[in-house]
Amino acid sequence: MVPDTLTQTGFDFLQSVSWLVVAAGLVLAVIYLTRLWFRKGLRFGVCRCETRMDGKTVIVTGSNTGTGKEAARDLARRGARVILACRNARKAEKAAEEIRKSSGNGNVEVRVVDLASLSSIRDFCSHIIRTEPRLDVLVNNAGFSPILRGRSNTCFCPRTETTDGFELMFGVNHLGHFLLTNLLLDLLKKSAPSRVVIVSSGGHVLVQEIDFNDVNFRHNFSPTRAYRRSKLANMLFVRELAKRLEGSGVAAFSLTPGYVATSRMKNQTLSVGMLVWGTAATLHRWLYGKTPLQGAQCTIHCSVADGLQSGQYFSDCKPTDPAPQARDDEAARRLWELSEKMVGLSK
């Protein structure tokens, strides 16, 4: 019979070994994840173009934070006159002051525009046309995300409408920029060679088509599907825009910034928290996500690089083929005509 002391000693030994195995596993996991985090930057595209932008004017929507702010900062460093087109004047002015100091360029201005309001867009464009003699680059960066981040939870947004009655993500991400771009086209043509840069998303591959019978998602609303559809609309918009601008000296590009951590809609909340989803998303963002500066590189590249072909789609500063549904010429034409009617550019 084994003495109790020997039994206890064996148990203590096995327990110690178990804890050592667990500790070793945790250490190895931390080493692996940290290595993966450091190596992730090697996969990201970087704009290495040294083009100066002295004497040129750039408008960047949604540029008081995130990738838009970093793109605006880079363009200011290149000597451009940069206009931050944002809906929150206080936050935009704070960002503008920061950009002025960090870039050494005092020619950074704030202009208020709410892309969820067609009248606000028209007022903004009227002011720009009256006061700006040129426009060399229009960066359509602003966007409404389906993810809402509160202080204690992460959740999805409910169906919401713009002031003109459009589903919010389709209205802001597509229709707002559609109207803004069209109203500023004459100024862009006057300043040619010039360009329009639209920040889309790789998520466009996950939606098969635009449902022209329900673009406002009045039925079967899904926040992620609505967001992806708005980004597919961005792609189709650029495709049709590039065709219509042939010979004008104005080029149009679309891009995906990649998976970037931003603070969009952080002050909004929803009743049901998603703790598990939020934890997984945070870990995924840490391992695979980009910083705002990394995410801005493709926007900067499309704004300044030479030799780009109008209508191209970029990822990590390289042209790439979008999903087949984003190359559908008939859908692009149909969306353009519908969008014209929705924003009042045609009857």
Side-chain angles (χ1 to χ4, degrees):
M1 188 171 182
V2 180
D4 289 343
T5 54
L6 292 178
T7 302
Q8 184 62 38
T9 300
F11 176 77
D12 290 343
F13 174 76
L14 291 175
Q15 191 175 40
S16 298
V17 170
S18 298
W19 278 111
L20 285 173
V21 171
V22 171
L26 289 174
V27 170
L28 289 174
V30 170
I31 292 173
Y32 171 76
L33 294 176
T34 301
R35 181 170 176 266
L36 182 62
W37 184 81
F38 276 111
R39 289 186 62 190
K40 69 177 183 176
L42 300 177
R43 305 192 305 269
F44 299 157
V46 177
C47 178
R48 303 189 185 281
C49 179
E50 298 181 358
T51 303
R52 294 290 302 174
M53 300 288 284
D54 302 282
K56 296 187 177 182
T57 299
V58 179
I59 292 176
V60 186
T61 66
S63 44
N64 66 308
T65 188
T67 60
K69 179 180 176 181
E70 293 303 330
R73 190 198 311 274
D74 183 277
L75 295 169
R77 282 175 176 157
R78 294 171 187 267
R81 168 174 168 75
V82 179
I83 297 173
L84 309 186
C86 307
R87 63 176 180 169
N88 188 311
R90 181 182 60 81
K91 291 182 179 180
E93 187 52 53
K94 182 179 179 181
E97 184 57 31
E98 181 184 328
I99 292 172
R100 292 183 195 113
K101 290 180 180 179
S102 61
S103 67
N105 182 351
N107 203 3
V108 179
E109 303 293 338
V110 171
R111 297 288 182 269
V112 175
V113 60
D114 182 358
L115 290 166
S117 167
L118 299 183
S119 62
S120 175
I121 295 169
R122 291 191 179 97
D123 289 343
F124 170 84
C125 291
S126 295
H127 180 78
I128 292 295
I129 292 168
R130 287 196 313 270
T131 60
E132 299 296 329
R134 62 182 303 117
L135 176 58
D136 300 272
V137 183
L138 171 61
V139 180
N140 290 319
N141 166 82
F144 186 93
S145 167
I147 305 301
L148 307 180
R149 294 189 178 93
R151 291 185 177 179
S152 60
N153 60 12
T154 301
C155 43
F156 287 109
C157 68
R159 184 184 182 282
T160 311
E161 293 187 350
T162 68
T163 57
D164 302 282
F166 306 125
E167 187 277 317
L168 191 60
M169 281 177 276
F170 184 76
V172 170
N173 300 355
H174 169 61
L175 289 177
H177 284 128
F178 178 87
L179 178 61
L180 181 77
T181 302
N182 273 281
L183 293 178
L184 294 176
L185 273 183
D186 286 343
L187 187 56
L188 284 160
K189 291 176 181 178
K190 174 186 173 183
S191 310
S194 55
R195 57 186 72 183
V196 177
V197 178
I198 297 184
V199 179
S200 182
S201 166
H204 78 275
V205 304
L206 299 175
V207 59
Q208 292 303 308
E209 61 182 2
I210 302 291
D211 182 357
F212 288 100
N213 294 317
D214 189 23
V215 293
N216 275 314
F217 264 107
R218 299 191 184 282
H219 307 286
N220 302 316
F221 173 76
S222 160
T224 53
R225 194 162 64 248
Y227 175 77
R228 292 165 182 166
R229 184 184 291 177
S230 73
K231 292 305 178 179
L232 174 58
N234 288 156
M235 305 288 291
L236 294 172
F237 172 36
V238 167
R239 189 169 184 84
E240 183 68 13
L241 180 63
K243 290 175 62 177
R244 291 172 180 251
L245 289 175
E246 285 182 7
S248 69
V250 184
F253 311 104
S254 61
L255 65 97
T256 174
Y259 188 68
V260 184
T262 70
S263 58
R264 286 179 298 179
M265 310 314 294
K266 66 181 180 180
N267 294 322
Q268 303 244 3
T269 58
L270 196 62
S271 57
V272 180
M274 298 179 67
L275 180 60
V276 174
W277 186 95
T279 302
T282 300
L283 180 61
H284 184 271
R285 184 167 63 249
W286 182 72
L287 292 176
Y288 301 104
K290 297 181 180 182
T291 65
L293 179 58
Q294 290 170 330
Q297 294 302 304
C298 200
T299 301
I300 298 165
H301 180 79
C302 291
S303 299
V304 303
D306 296 324
L308 309 186
Q309 181 180 340
S310 185
Q312 285 181 315
Y313 168 65
F314 287 81
S315 176
D316 283 322
C317 302
K318 298 177 182 178
T320 187
D321 290 331
Q325 56 267 36
R327 303 195 299 268
D328 186 333
D329 288 330
E330 175 58 24
R333 180 197 62 78
R334 190 175 176 187
L335 178 64
W336 182 285
E337 293 175 354
L338 176 62
S339 300
E340 283 184 321
K341 293 178 181 178
M342 295 179 79
V343 301
L345 291 178
S346 70
K347 295 181 180 180

